Amino acid sequence: MTGADRIAIVGGGVAGLSTAMHLGRLGVGANVTLFEARHPAAGSSSRSVGDVGVLYEGADELAMRLEALAFFEQVAEEVGLRFVGGLRVVDDARHRERLERAVAAYSGQGIDARLLEPDELTRVVPDMRVDDLAAGLWADRAGHIDGALLCNAYLERAQAAGVTVVARAPVLDVTSGQRRRFRLVTARGEHEADVVVNAAGGWSRALGELLGAPAPIVSQRHQVCLARVPQGLAYPMPQFQDSFGYVDSGRGLYLRPESETTFIAGMHHNYVPGSPSEDPDAFSGAVDPDYVEVLAEALMERFPGLDEMGLSEGWTGLYPLSPDDHLLVGPYAGVPGVVAATGLGGAGIQTSYAAGRLAAEWIVRGEPSGLRDPARYLPDRPALAAVATGAS
Ligand SMILES: Cc1cc2nc3c(=O)[nH]c(=O)nc-3n(C[C@H](O)[C@H](O)[C@H](O)COP(=O)(O)OP(=O)(O)OC[C@H]3O[C@@H](n4cnc5c(N)ncnc54)[C@H](O)[C@@H]3O)c2cc1C
């Protein structure tokens, strides 16, 4: 880009706001306008469970989370950071190997990470069933933050660096501009820009169509419940995740403490081929009664000692998932001026810091730093097209 280029970001969730903050840090904040259809944090970013942590073994996955944690620690009070430790358990030898690789990857990174055998796991969570488990990974730097507060932290820093944020301004159409490449038609007037960032979360597919830059995002509805143990626990419950293979199993039980007696629970799964994409403007916000039952069963199976736990409905929200479960971040080779910052899926609170930095550096520097393979996340990568079309 040139110093005079105007940048429009569409979407005021963690992805768009982090991109705005990082563009500000790179010195071009005054050239940036962010358009948000409703208000900042109106989408998935205020519906997350907020888990953040380091239970990942891929080098870039870990690097992105470490860089985010460093920021979250700097703004700990602003974003409500609470480290509770993280425990991820697996039930077979193949996934145990992944945990071993993760422990090796953490060495020298300032993380206290250990592989725990089943009998050691019961010392961490005495109420847990372990006879069906192969191992667990414990790491100290895991906990949670508040997604809406994180949006606010990004927003304040972006605005301080000169970024203009326009709320209640849905982008309704995109045409060619007269002075600049794009003309964005919004509910609050028209705006010309040289670069447009698609940070529209679950709405990215629709925005991609307006931009002529496909964003094959599937909006997958996820449900969360509140669990209560009236007497509290005699030990600190960590952030818990069942099975490294949760992505495949579709029953990745998770549980994390909210207060002494309250926990947040759900079942995580990533992209399921052929699963329908929800309408982000019309999905059901109420938790399905049968989901509460299935979740209660899963909790009782894993934590038979917590038989006094009561479950109540929490909330629902959308994971903006890409078909290969990786971020869509960076420019399109075939559509000059369009940059993606989307596909943050079920881990966008954690990855938004790095995703925004990558998007901003692609725009300003032409290439991002800090990751081994940032091209892996480009929005028109061949691997993505292959998954989307079902080719092997
Ligand atoms: C139940 C649940 C639990 C989760 N738990 C976790 C967790 O524990 N840890 C974690 O890291 N992540 C978690 N996530 C995932 C995380 O919340 C998302 O990955 C992240 O919020 C996505 O952010 P985003 O900015 O891409 O999308 P959004 O936050 O949805 O932002 C997109 C914004 O774009 C705006 N927009 C759309 N179209 C237009 C348009 N045409 N013009 C202007 N504005 C537009 C929308 O109004 C919206 O505000 C969870 C998600 C859910 C639903």
Side-chain angles (χ1 to χ4, degrees), residues 265-310:
M267 280 181 289
H268 180 100
H269 58 92
N270 276 356
Y271 179 72
V272 179
S275 67
S277 191
E278 297 277 342
D279 178 347
D281 291 311
F283 68 94
S284 165
V287 174
D288 306 336
D290 59 350
Y291 180 81
V292 182
E293 269 178 44
V294 173
L295 180 60
E297 264 173 41
L299 282 166
M300 277 307 97
E301 260 175 44
R302 181 53 62 213
F303 302 104
L306 295 181
D307 50 2
E308 288 187 8
M309 182 180 268

mmCIF file of all heavy atoms in Angstrom, residues 265-310:
data_model
loop_
_atom_site.group_PDB
_atom_site.id
_atom_site.type_symbol
_atom_site.label_atom_id
_atom_site.label_comp_id
_atom_site.label_asym_id
_atom_site.label_seq_id
_atom_site.Cartn_x
_atom_site.Cartn_y
_atom_site.Cartn_z
ATOM 1 N N ALA A 265 -20.106 -24.698 30.829
ATOM 2 C CA ALA A 265 -19.858 -25.994 30.183
ATOM 3 C C ALA A 265 -20.467 -26.013 28.790
ATOM 4 O O ALA A 265 -21.455 -25.329 28.503
ATOM 5 C CB ALA A 265 -20.465 -27.120 31.021
ATOM 6 N N GLY A 266 -19.859 -26.812 27.938
ATOM 7 C CA GLY A 266 -20.402 -26.980 26.591
ATOM 8 C C GLY A 266 -19.693 -28.120 25.898
ATOM 9 O O GLY A 266 -18.887 -28.839 26.498
ATOM 10 N N MET A 267 -20.017 -28.306 24.631
ATOM 11 C CA MET A 267 -19.345 -29.334 23.835
ATOM 12 C C MET A 267 -18.845 -28.697 22.547
ATOM 13 O O MET A 267 -19.627 -28.157 21.772
ATOM 14 C CB MET A 267 -20.291 -30.497 23.563
ATOM 15 C CG MET A 267 -20.372 -31.417 24.759
ATOM 16 S SD MET A 267 -21.440 -32.820 24.502
ATOM 17 C CE MET A 267 -23.014 -32.032 24.496
ATOM 18 N N HIS A 268 -17.535 -28.784 22.393
ATOM 19 C CA HIS A 268 -16.881 -28.089 21.295
ATOM 20 C C HIS A 268 -16.690 -29.047 20.121
ATOM 21 O O HIS A 268 -16.345 -30.205 20.320
ATOM 22 C CB HIS A 268 -15.517 -27.622 21.810
ATOM 23 C CG HIS A 268 -14.695 -26.889 20.821
ATOM 24 N ND1 HIS A 268 -14.613 -25.521 20.808
ATOM 25 C CD2 HIS A 268 -13.916 -27.326 19.817
ATOM 26 C CE1 HIS A 268 -13.803 -25.156 19.829
ATOM 27 N NE2 HIS A 268 -13.372 -26.224 19.218
ATOM 28 N N HIS A 269 -16.934 -28.582 18.926
ATOM 29 C CA HIS A 269 -16.490 -29.338 17.753
ATOM 30 C C HIS A 269 -16.243 -28.355 16.632
ATOM 31 O O HIS A 269 -16.823 -27.273 16.600
ATOM 32 C CB HIS A 269 -17.502 -30.403 17.333
ATOM 33 C CG HIS A 269 -18.852 -29.855 17.012
ATOM 34 N ND1 HIS A 269 -19.218 -29.489 15.750
ATOM 35 C CD2 HIS A 269 -19.916 -29.589 17.801
ATOM 36 C CE1 HIS A 269 -20.464 -29.035 15.772
ATOM 37 N NE2 HIS A 269 -20.906 -29.088 17.005
ATOM 38 N N ASN A 270 -15.374 -28.737 15.748
ATOM 39 C CA ASN A 270 -15.036 -27.837 14.656
ATOM 40 C C ASN A 270 -15.881 -28.147 13.428
ATOM 41 O O ASN A 270 -16.946 -28.738 13.538
ATOM 42 C CB ASN A 270 -13.539 -27.895 14.372
ATOM 43 C CG ASN A 270 -12.789 -26.962 15.318
ATOM 44 O OD1 ASN A 270 -13.396 -26.251 16.110
ATOM 45 N ND2 ASN A 270 -11.493 -26.966 15.226
ATOM 46 N N TYR A 271 -15.380 -27.764 12.280
ATOM 47 C CA TYR A 271 -16.159 -27.879 11.051
ATOM 48 C C TYR A 271 -16.577 -29.322 10.778
ATOM 49 O O TYR A 271 -15.759 -30.234 10.838
ATOM 50 C CB TYR A 271 -15.326 -27.355 9.878
ATOM 51 C CG TYR A 271 -16.023 -27.442 8.552
ATOM 52 C CD1 TYR A 271 -17.076 -26.590 8.257
ATOM 53 C CD2 TYR A 271 -15.633 -28.379 7.607
ATOM 54 C CE1 TYR A 271 -17.723 -26.665 7.038
ATOM 55 C CE2 TYR A 271 -16.272 -28.458 6.388
ATOM 56 C CZ TYR A 271 -17.316 -27.597 6.112
ATOM 57 O OH TYR A 271 -17.952 -27.674 4.907
ATOM 58 N N VAL A 272 -17.837 -29.503 10.530
ATOM 59 C CA VAL A 272 -18.338 -30.824 10.162
ATOM 60 C C VAL A 272 -18.743 -30.734 8.693
ATOM 61 O O VAL A 272 -19.628 -29.947 8.352
ATOM 62 C CB VAL A 272 -19.569 -31.210 11.012
ATOM 63 C CG1 VAL A 272 -20.098 -32.571 10.607
ATOM 64 C CG2 VAL A 272 -19.221 -31.171 12.493
ATOM 65 N N PRO A 273 -18.081 -31.510 7.803
ATOM 66 C CA PRO A 273 -18.392 -31.382 6.376
ATOM 67 C C PRO A 273 -19.890 -31.524 6.123
ATOM 68 O O PRO A 273 -20.543 -32.403 6.681
ATOM 69 C CB PRO A 273 -17.607 -32.538 5.738
ATOM 70 C CG PRO A 273 -16.504 -32.814 6.697
ATOM 71 C CD PRO A 273 -17.048 -32.510 8.069
ATOM 72 N N GLY A 274 -20.404 -30.612 5.335
ATOM 73 C CA GLY A 274 -21.815 -30.684 4.964
ATOM 74 C C GLY A 274 -22.756 -30.078 5.991
ATOM 75 O O GLY A 274 -23.964 -30.033 5.780
ATOM 76 N N SER A 275 -22.213 -29.614 7.129
ATOM 77 C CA SER A 275 -23.126 -29.063 8.138
ATOM 78 C C SER A 275 -23.687 -27.731 7.640
ATOM 79 O O SER A 275 -23.004 -26.971 6.954
ATOM 80 C CB SER A 275 -22.418 -28.879 9.478
ATOM 81 O OG SER A 275 -21.443 -27.882 9.369
ATOM 82 N N PRO A 276 -24.945 -27.449 7.978
ATOM 83 C CA PRO A 276 -25.569 -26.237 7.447
ATOM 84 C C PRO A 276 -24.976 -24.982 8.075
ATOM 85 O O PRO A 276 -24.504 -25.015 9.206
ATOM 86 C CB PRO A 276 -27.035 -26.391 7.863
ATOM 87 C CG PRO A 276 -27.000 -27.288 9.049
ATOM 88 C CD PRO A 276 -25.810 -28.186 8.890
ATOM 89 N N SER A 277 -25.012 -23.908 7.314
ATOM 90 C CA SER A 277 -24.567 -22.625 7.846
ATOM 91 C C SER A 277 -25.795 -21.889 8.363
ATOM 92 O O SER A 277 -26.793 -21.758 7.663
ATOM 93 C CB SER A 277 -23.895 -21.829 6.729
ATOM 94 O OG SER A 277 -23.250 -20.708 7.251
ATOM 95 N N GLU A 278 -25.730 -21.445 9.612
ATOM 96 C CA GLU A 278 -26.870 -20.734 10.200
ATOM 97 C C GLU A 278 -26.967 -19.326 9.611
ATOM 98 O O GLU A 278 -25.946 -18.730 9.252
ATOM 99 C CB GLU A 278 -26.670 -20.592 11.713
ATOM 100 C CG GLU A 278 -26.609 -21.888 12.462
ATOM 101 C CD GLU A 278 -27.989 -22.441 12.781
ATOM 102 O OE1 GLU A 278 -28.978 -21.680 12.731
ATOM 103 O OE2 GLU A 278 -28.060 -23.643 13.087
ATOM 104 N N ASP A 279 -28.182 -18.800 9.588
ATOM 105 C CA ASP A 279 -28.365 -17.401 9.207
ATOM 106 C C ASP A 279 -27.925 -16.553 10.402
ATOM 107 O O ASP A 279 -28.544 -16.616 11.469
ATOM 108 C CB ASP A 279 -29.844 -17.162 8.885
ATOM 109 C CG ASP A 279 -30.118 -15.705 8.526
ATOM 110 O OD1 ASP A 279 -29.240 -14.856 8.768
ATOM 111 O OD2 ASP A 279 -31.218 -15.431 8.017
ATOM 112 N N PRO A 280 -26.846 -15.766 10.265
ATOM 113 C CA PRO A 280 -26.342 -15.034 11.436
ATOM 114 C C PRO A 280 -27.324 -13.999 11.970
ATOM 115 O O PRO A 280 -27.180 -13.537 13.103
ATOM 116 C CB PRO A 280 -25.055 -14.375 10.926
ATOM 117 C CG PRO A 280 -25.144 -14.395 9.441
ATOM 118 C CD PRO A 280 -26.024 -15.541 9.063
ATOM 119 N N ASP A 281 -28.342 -13.652 11.162
ATOM 120 C CA ASP A 281 -29.331 -12.685 11.644
ATOM 121 C C ASP A 281 -30.559 -13.368 12.236
ATOM 122 O O ASP A 281 -31.449 -12.695 12.743
ATOM 123 C CB ASP A 281 -29.777 -11.769 10.491
ATOM 124 C CG ASP A 281 -28.650 -10.846 10.071
ATOM 125 O OD1 ASP A 281 -28.052 -10.214 10.964
ATOM 126 O OD2 ASP A 281 -28.350 -10.780 8.866
ATOM 127 N N ALA A 282 -30.622 -14.701 12.160
ATOM 128 C CA ALA A 282 -31.878 -15.349 12.573
ATOM 129 C C ALA A 282 -31.680 -16.679 13.288
ATOM 130 O O ALA A 282 -32.595 -17.472 13.354
ATOM 131 C CB ALA A 282 -32.754 -15.563 11.332
ATOM 132 N N PHE A 283 -30.506 -16.937 13.856
ATOM 133 C CA PHE A 283 -30.328 -18.225 14.541
ATOM 134 C C PHE A 283 -30.977 -18.169 15.928
ATOM 135 O O PHE A 283 -31.157 -17.091 16.501
ATOM 136 C CB PHE A 283 -28.847 -18.598 14.631
ATOM 137 C CG PHE A 283 -28.029 -17.713 15.533
ATOM 138 C CD1 PHE A 283 -27.803 -18.053 16.855
ATOM 139 C CD2 PHE A 283 -27.482 -16.531 15.058
ATOM 140 C CE1 PHE A 283 -27.045 -17.242 17.691
ATOM 141 C CE2 PHE A 283 -26.734 -15.705 15.885
ATOM 142 C CZ PHE A 283 -26.517 -16.065 17.201
ATOM 143 N N SER A 284 -31.303 -19.354 16.453
ATOM 144 C CA SER A 284 -31.986 -19.393 17.747
ATOM 145 C C SER A 284 -31.005 -19.074 18.874
ATOM 146 O O SER A 284 -29.949 -19.704 19.006
ATOM 147 C CB SER A 284 -32.589 -20.785 17.969
ATOM 148 O OG SER A 284 -32.939 -20.914 19.334
ATOM 149 N N GLY A 285 -31.398 -18.124 19.716
ATOM 150 C CA GLY A 285 -30.549 -17.735 20.839
ATOM 151 C C GLY A 285 -30.787 -18.580 22.072
ATOM 152 O O GLY A 285 -30.059 -18.471 23.057
ATOM 153 N N ALA A 286 -31.815 -19.441 22.025
ATOM 154 C CA ALA A 286 -32.139 -20.257 23.203
ATOM 155 C C ALA A 286 -31.455 -21.616 23.090
ATOM 156 O O ALA A 286 -31.351 -22.187 22.004
ATOM 157 C CB ALA A 286 -33.652 -20.443 23.286
ATOM 158 N N VAL A 287 -31.001 -22.135 24.226
ATOM 159 C CA VAL A 287 -30.365 -23.453 24.248
ATOM 160 C C VAL A 287 -31.444 -24.524 24.082
ATOM 161 O O VAL A 287 -32.512 -24.450 24.702
ATOM 162 C CB VAL A 287 -29.606 -23.644 25.584
ATOM 163 C CG1 VAL A 287 -29.061 -25.059 25.709
ATOM 164 C CG2 VAL A 287 -28.473 -22.631 25.687
ATOM 165 N N ASP A 288 -31.171 -25.533 23.234
ATOM 166 C CA ASP A 288 -32.146 -26.604 23.001
ATOM 167 C C ASP A 288 -32.267 -27.476 24.256
ATOM 168 O O ASP A 288 -31.235 -27.885 24.817
ATOM 169 C CB ASP A 288 -31.700 -27.515 21.847
ATOM 170 C CG ASP A 288 -31.401 -26.727 20.575
ATOM 171 O OD1 ASP A 288 -31.950 -25.621 20.433
ATOM 172 O OD2 ASP A 288 -30.608 -27.226 19.746
ATOM 173 N N PRO A 289 -33.489 -27.823 24.683
ATOM 174 C CA PRO A 289 -33.641 -28.661 25.878
ATOM 175 C C PRO A 289 -32.887 -29.984 25.756
ATOM 176 O O PRO A 289 -32.281 -30.449 26.732
ATOM 177 C CB PRO A 289 -35.155 -28.894 25.958
ATOM 178 C CG PRO A 289 -35.756 -27.764 25.194
ATOM 179 C CD PRO A 289 -34.770 -27.386 24.133
ATOM 180 N N ASP A 290 -32.878 -30.606 24.558
ATOM 181 C CA ASP A 290 -32.178 -31.898 24.466
ATOM 182 C C ASP A 290 -30.664 -31.725 24.570
ATOM 183 O O ASP A 290 -29.952 -32.623 24.996
ATOM 184 C CB ASP A 290 -32.589 -32.689 23.216
ATOM 185 C CG ASP A 290 -32.320 -31.945 21.927
ATOM 186 O OD1 ASP A 290 -32.002 -30.747 22.005
ATOM 187 O OD2 ASP A 290 -32.427 -32.556 20.851
ATOM 188 N N TYR A 291 -30.162 -30.538 24.230
ATOM 189 C CA TYR A 291 -28.724 -30.286 24.387
ATOM 190 C C TYR A 291 -28.361 -30.297 25.874
ATOM 191 O O TYR A 291 -27.328 -30.841 26.272
ATOM 192 C CB TYR A 291 -28.357 -28.939 23.761
ATOM 193 C CG TYR A 291 -26.889 -28.596 23.876
ATOM 194 C CD1 TYR A 291 -25.960 -29.129 22.994
ATOM 195 C CD2 TYR A 291 -26.427 -27.740 24.882
ATOM 196 C CE1 TYR A 291 -24.609 -28.826 23.107
ATOM 197 C CE2 TYR A 291 -25.084 -27.432 24.999
ATOM 198 C CZ TYR A 291 -24.179 -27.976 24.106
ATOM 199 O OH TYR A 291 -22.843 -27.672 24.222
ATOM 200 N N VAL A 292 -29.233 -29.699 26.697
ATOM 201 C CA VAL A 292 -28.957 -29.673 28.140
ATOM 202 C C VAL A 292 -28.849 -31.104 28.656
ATOM 203 O O VAL A 292 -27.959 -31.436 29.442
ATOM 204 C CB VAL A 292 -30.065 -28.901 28.901
ATOM 205 C CG1 VAL A 292 -29.747 -28.841 30.389
ATOM 206 C CG2 VAL A 292 -30.220 -27.494 28.345
ATOM 207 N N GLU A 293 -29.729 -31.973 28.158
ATOM 208 C CA GLU A 293 -29.703 -33.371 28.613
ATOM 209 C C GLU A 293 -28.425 -34.089 28.191
ATOM 210 O O GLU A 293 -27.784 -34.777 28.986
ATOM 211 C CB GLU A 293 -30.898 -34.130 28.027
ATOM 212 C CG GLU A 293 -32.094 -34.088 28.939
ATOM 213 C CD GLU A 293 -33.277 -34.787 28.331
ATOM 214 O OE1 GLU A 293 -33.108 -35.884 27.766
ATOM 215 O OE2 GLU A 293 -34.371 -34.207 28.400
ATOM 216 N N VAL A 294 -28.054 -33.914 26.918
ATOM 217 C CA VAL A 294 -26.845 -34.587 26.411
ATOM 218 C C VAL A 294 -25.612 -34.085 27.165
ATOM 219 O O VAL A 294 -24.735 -34.860 27.565
ATOM 220 C CB VAL A 294 -26.693 -34.336 24.890
ATOM 221 C CG1 VAL A 294 -25.365 -34.868 24.377
ATOM 222 C CG2 VAL A 294 -27.839 -34.981 24.137
ATOM 223 N N LEU A 295 -25.574 -32.787 27.394
ATOM 224 C CA LEU A 295 -24.429 -32.208 28.107
ATOM 225 C C LEU A 295 -24.385 -32.708 29.553
ATOM 226 O O LEU A 295 -23.310 -33.047 30.076
ATOM 227 C CB LEU A 295 -24.527 -30.677 28.061
ATOM 228 C CG LEU A 295 -23.412 -29.904 28.755
ATOM 229 C CD1 LEU A 295 -22.046 -30.230 28.149
ATOM 230 C CD2 LEU A 295 -23.664 -28.396 28.646
ATOM 231 N N ALA A 296 -25.555 -32.781 30.191
ATOM 232 C CA ALA A 296 -25.597 -33.264 31.584
ATOM 233 C C ALA A 296 -25.062 -34.693 31.654
ATOM 234 O O ALA A 296 -24.289 -35.042 32.555
ATOM 235 C CB ALA A 296 -27.028 -33.194 32.114
ATOM 236 N N GLU A 297 -25.443 -35.510 30.673
ATOM 237 C CA GLU A 297 -24.948 -36.897 30.646
ATOM 238 C C GLU A 297 -23.434 -36.931 30.483
ATOM 239 O O GLU A 297 -22.733 -37.677 31.169
ATOM 240 C CB GLU A 297 -25.557 -37.638 29.452
ATOM 241 C CG GLU A 297 -26.780 -38.444 29.803
ATOM 242 C CD GLU A 297 -27.414 -39.006 28.543
ATOM 243 O OE1 GLU A 297 -26.679 -39.455 27.641
ATOM 244 O OE2 GLU A 297 -28.653 -38.943 28.456
ATOM 245 N N ALA A 298 -22.933 -36.120 29.554
ATOM 246 C CA ALA A 298 -21.482 -36.104 29.306
ATOM 247 C C ALA A 298 -20.734 -35.646 30.557
ATOM 248 O O ALA A 298 -19.676 -36.190 30.899
ATOM 249 C CB ALA A 298 -21.168 -35.183 28.128
ATOM 250 N N LEU A 299 -21.287 -34.667 31.256
ATOM 251 C CA LEU A 299 -20.634 -34.181 32.479
ATOM 252 C C LEU A 299 -20.621 -35.262 33.556
ATOM 253 O O LEU A 299 -19.619 -35.466 34.242
ATOM 254 C CB LEU A 299 -21.361 -32.933 33.003
ATOM 255 C CG LEU A 299 -21.055 -31.629 32.259
ATOM 256 C CD1 LEU A 299 -22.073 -30.550 32.618
ATOM 257 C CD2 LEU A 299 -19.643 -31.132 32.576
ATOM 258 N N MET A 300 -21.749 -35.970 33.675
ATOM 259 C CA MET A 300 -21.821 -37.014 34.706
ATOM 260 C C MET A 300 -20.882 -38.172 34.393
ATOM 261 O O MET A 300 -20.278 -38.762 35.281
ATOM 262 C CB MET A 300 -23.262 -37.524 34.849
ATOM 263 C CG MET A 300 -24.134 -36.664 35.731
ATOM 264 S SD MET A 300 -23.399 -36.355 37.363
ATOM 265 C CE MET A 300 -22.629 -34.783 37.184
ATOM 266 N N GLU A 301 -20.746 -38.476 33.082
ATOM 267 C CA GLU A 301 -19.822 -39.545 32.698
ATOM 268 C C GLU A 301 -18.389 -39.183 33.062
ATOM 269 O O GLU A 301 -17.626 -39.997 33.556
ATOM 270 C CB GLU A 301 -19.870 -39.744 31.178
ATOM 271 C CG GLU A 301 -20.707 -40.913 30.741
ATOM 272 C CD GLU A 301 -20.797 -40.966 29.222
ATOM 273 O OE1 GLU A 301 -19.769 -40.786 28.539
ATOM 274 O OE2 GLU A 301 -21.920 -41.157 28.725
ATOM 275 N N ARG A 302 -18.014 -37.942 32.792
ATOM 276 C CA ARG A 302 -16.619 -37.545 33.027
ATOM 277 C C ARG A 302 -16.357 -37.188 34.485
ATOM 278 O O ARG A 302 -15.281 -37.415 35.008
ATOM 279 C CB ARG A 302 -16.271 -36.356 32.094
ATOM 280 C CG ARG A 302 -14.865 -35.826 32.191
ATOM 281 C CD ARG A 302 -13.786 -36.890 32.019
ATOM 282 N NE ARG A 302 -13.806 -37.545 30.726
ATOM 283 C CZ ARG A 302 -13.459 -38.827 30.528
ATOM 284 N NH1 ARG A 302 -13.057 -39.583 31.536
ATOM 285 N NH2 ARG A 302 -13.524 -39.367 29.329
ATOM 286 N N PHE A 303 -17.376 -36.614 35.158
ATOM 287 C CA PHE A 303 -17.179 -36.172 36.550
ATOM 288 C C PHE A 303 -18.213 -36.838 37.462
ATOM 289 O O PHE A 303 -19.097 -36.160 38.007
ATOM 290 C CB PHE A 303 -17.307 -34.647 36.654
ATOM 291 C CG PHE A 303 -16.347 -33.889 35.790
ATOM 292 C CD1 PHE A 303 -16.771 -33.278 34.619
ATOM 293 C CD2 PHE A 303 -15.004 -33.791 36.139
ATOM 294 C CE1 PHE A 303 -15.883 -32.585 33.813
ATOM 295 C CE2 PHE A 303 -14.107 -33.097 35.337
ATOM 296 C CZ PHE A 303 -14.547 -32.498 34.171
ATOM 297 N N PRO A 304 -18.118 -38.166 37.638
ATOM 298 C CA PRO A 304 -19.141 -38.838 38.444
ATOM 299 C C PRO A 304 -19.189 -38.321 39.879
ATOM 300 O O PRO A 304 -20.233 -38.389 40.531
ATOM 301 C CB PRO A 304 -18.726 -40.318 38.397
ATOM 302 C CG PRO A 304 -17.353 -40.352 37.839
ATOM 303 C CD PRO A 304 -17.121 -39.097 37.090
ATOM 304 N N GLY A 305 -18.077 -37.757 40.354
ATOM 305 C CA GLY A 305 -18.062 -37.240 41.727
ATOM 306 C C GLY A 305 -18.864 -35.958 41.896
ATOM 307 O O GLY A 305 -19.163 -35.548 43.016
ATOM 308 N N LEU A 306 -19.225 -35.326 40.794
ATOM 309 C CA LEU A 306 -19.958 -34.051 40.893
ATOM 310 C C LEU A 306 -21.458 -34.294 40.733
ATOM 311 O O LEU A 306 -22.129 -33.631 39.946
ATOM 312 C CB LEU A 306 -19.467 -33.070 39.815
ATOM 313 C CG LEU A 306 -18.016 -32.614 39.932
ATOM 314 C CD1 LEU A 306 -17.675 -31.623 38.830
ATOM 315 C CD2 LEU A 306 -17.761 -31.982 41.292
ATOM 316 N N ASP A 307 -21.991 -35.248 41.505
ATOM 317 C CA ASP A 307 -23.393 -35.613 41.278
ATOM 318 C C ASP A 307 -24.370 -34.552 41.769
ATOM 319 O O ASP A 307 -25.562 -34.624 41.498
ATOM 320 C CB ASP A 307 -23.711 -36.993 41.877
ATOM 321 C CG ASP A 307 -23.260 -37.111 43.314
ATOM 322 O OD1 ASP A 307 -22.733 -36.110 43.837
ATOM 323 O OD2 ASP A 307 -23.431 -38.190 43.898
ATOM 324 N N GLU A 308 -23.875 -33.536 42.468
ATOM 325 C CA GLU A 308 -24.794 -32.463 42.889
ATOM 326 C C GLU A 308 -24.823 -31.314 41.886
ATOM 327 O O GLU A 308 -25.464 -30.287 42.118
ATOM 328 C CB GLU A 308 -24.368 -31.918 44.244
ATOM 329 C CG GLU A 308 -24.665 -32.891 45.358
ATOM 330 C CD GLU A 308 -24.406 -32.285 46.717
ATOM 331 O OE1 GLU A 308 -24.152 -31.076 46.795
ATOM 332 O OE2 GLU A 308 -24.452 -33.052 47.673
ATOM 333 N N MET A 309 -24.107 -31.505 40.784
ATOM 334 C CA MET A 309 -24.045 -30.413 39.805
ATOM 335 C C MET A 309 -25.395 -30.234 39.108
ATOM 336 O O MET A 309 -25.989 -31.192 38.626
ATOM 337 C CB MET A 309 -22.964 -30.722 38.765
ATOM 338 C CG MET A 309 -22.788 -29.635 37.728
ATOM 339 S SD MET A 309 -21.496 -30.085 36.539
ATOM 340 C CE MET A 309 -20.069 -29.343 37.287
ATOM 341 N N GLY A 310 -25.895 -29.010 39.080
ATOM 342 C CA GLY A 310 -27.138 -28.715 38.362
ATOM 343 C C GLY A 310 -26.823 -27.889 37.127
ATOM 344 O O GLY A 310 -25.907 -27.064 37.137
#
